[in-house]
Amino acid sequence: MSKNEKILEILERNSDASHEQIAIMLDLTLEEVETAIKKYEEDGVILKHGALINWEKTDKEFVTAMIELKVTPQRGEGFDKIAERIYRYPEVKSLYLMAGAFDLTVVIEGKTMKEVALFVSDKIAPMECVLSTATHFVLKKYKDNNVIFEDDTKDDRQVITL
């Protein structure tokens, strides 16, 4: 693995890592690290820096849903045009082209299940290219982006007394 790939891995695990820390970890100069990161940002490799929040530990009320879509690809444009129409909605947090039983997975957030259902029925399902939808609501997040949300490791050993 190249040193530039290692820079990306470090930033992916901890976006708060300073350029100085990365340089020390990889035995690089500060200038090498800053140049690499700047190029990755300019080239669109690094898209965003940020934090992963466990919203369940806050007062924010919302629901997350994953919607499976079967679609008819646009002639000459494939799935890209359909995806672009869908990802422009602010409710859409992620959108993936899939292989298998369905074509697209759309991850959306709403204030209530009803709001999500209305979004699907009013915005997604009526699209002429959408053949079917299946909505799955997220009940609990255990792990996201390699981060375990709750690691309440219990000691299941039984106490033995004499």
Side-chain angles (χ1 to χ4, degrees):
M1 178 180 308
S2 73
K3 289 190 177 188
N4 282 345
E5 288 171 337
K6 289 180 182 177
I7 291 171
L8 292 174
E9 281 192 347
I10 291 168
L11 288 172
E12 187 176 47
R13 280 193 312 269
N14 179 9
S15 65
D16 290 335
S18 71
H19 296 178
E20 293 84 4
Q21 290 170 323
I22 295 170
I24 291 168
M25 292 166 68
L26 299 178
D27 195 28
L28 297 170
T29 67
L30 179 59
E31 185 178 316
E32 288 174 310
V33 171
E34 289 174 343
T35 300
I37 291 173
K38 183 178 180 191
K39 179 157 178 34
Y40 279 134
E41 290 171 343
E42 290 169 355
D43 292 347
V45 174
I46 296 175
L47 299 174
K48 183 178 176 184
H49 299 271
L52 181 60
I53 310 296
N54 185 354
W55 288 105
E56 289 182 17
K57 294 193 177 215
T58 71
D59 294 333
K60 183 177 179 182
E61 293 286 330
F62 69 98
V63 293
T64 302
M66 295 182 177
I67 303 151
E68 299 174 0
L69 298 180
K70 289 184 183 177
V71 299
T72 303
Q74 301 285 316
R75 184 180 189 119
E77 297 174 352
F79 295 99
D80 295 344
K81 212 55 160 177
I82 299 167
E84 184 178 349
R85 280 183 65 194
I86 294 169
Y87 69 60
R88 297 226 177 264
Y89 288 109
E91 296 89 346
V92 175
K93 300 303 173 195
S94 301
L95 177 61
Y96 305 101
L97 178 62
M98 307 297 291
F102 54 94
D103 303 307
L104 298 170
T105 297
V106 184
V107 179
I108 69 169
E109 286 182 1
K111 291 179 183 167
T112 64
M113 287 184 172
K114 183 176 181 177
E115 184 178 283
V116 169
L118 287 173
F119 174 79
V120 174
S121 65
D122 293 349
K123 302 283 198 264
I124 302 295
M127 295 172 73
E128 65 282 349
C129 56
V130 174
L131 301 174
S132 68
T133 68
T135 303
H136 308 276
F137 288 96
V138 175
L139 301 178
K140 184 175 181 177
K141 230 184 241 191
Y142 293 100
K143 185 175 182 178
D144 192 10
N145 286 329
N146 263 343
V147 175
I148 297 171
F149 277 61
E150 292 184 31
D151 192 13
D152 295 340
T153 308
K154 296 179 185 174
D155 187 355
D156 291 334
R157 297 177 290 178
Q158 293 184 359
V159 177
I160 298 175
T161 59
L162 300 175

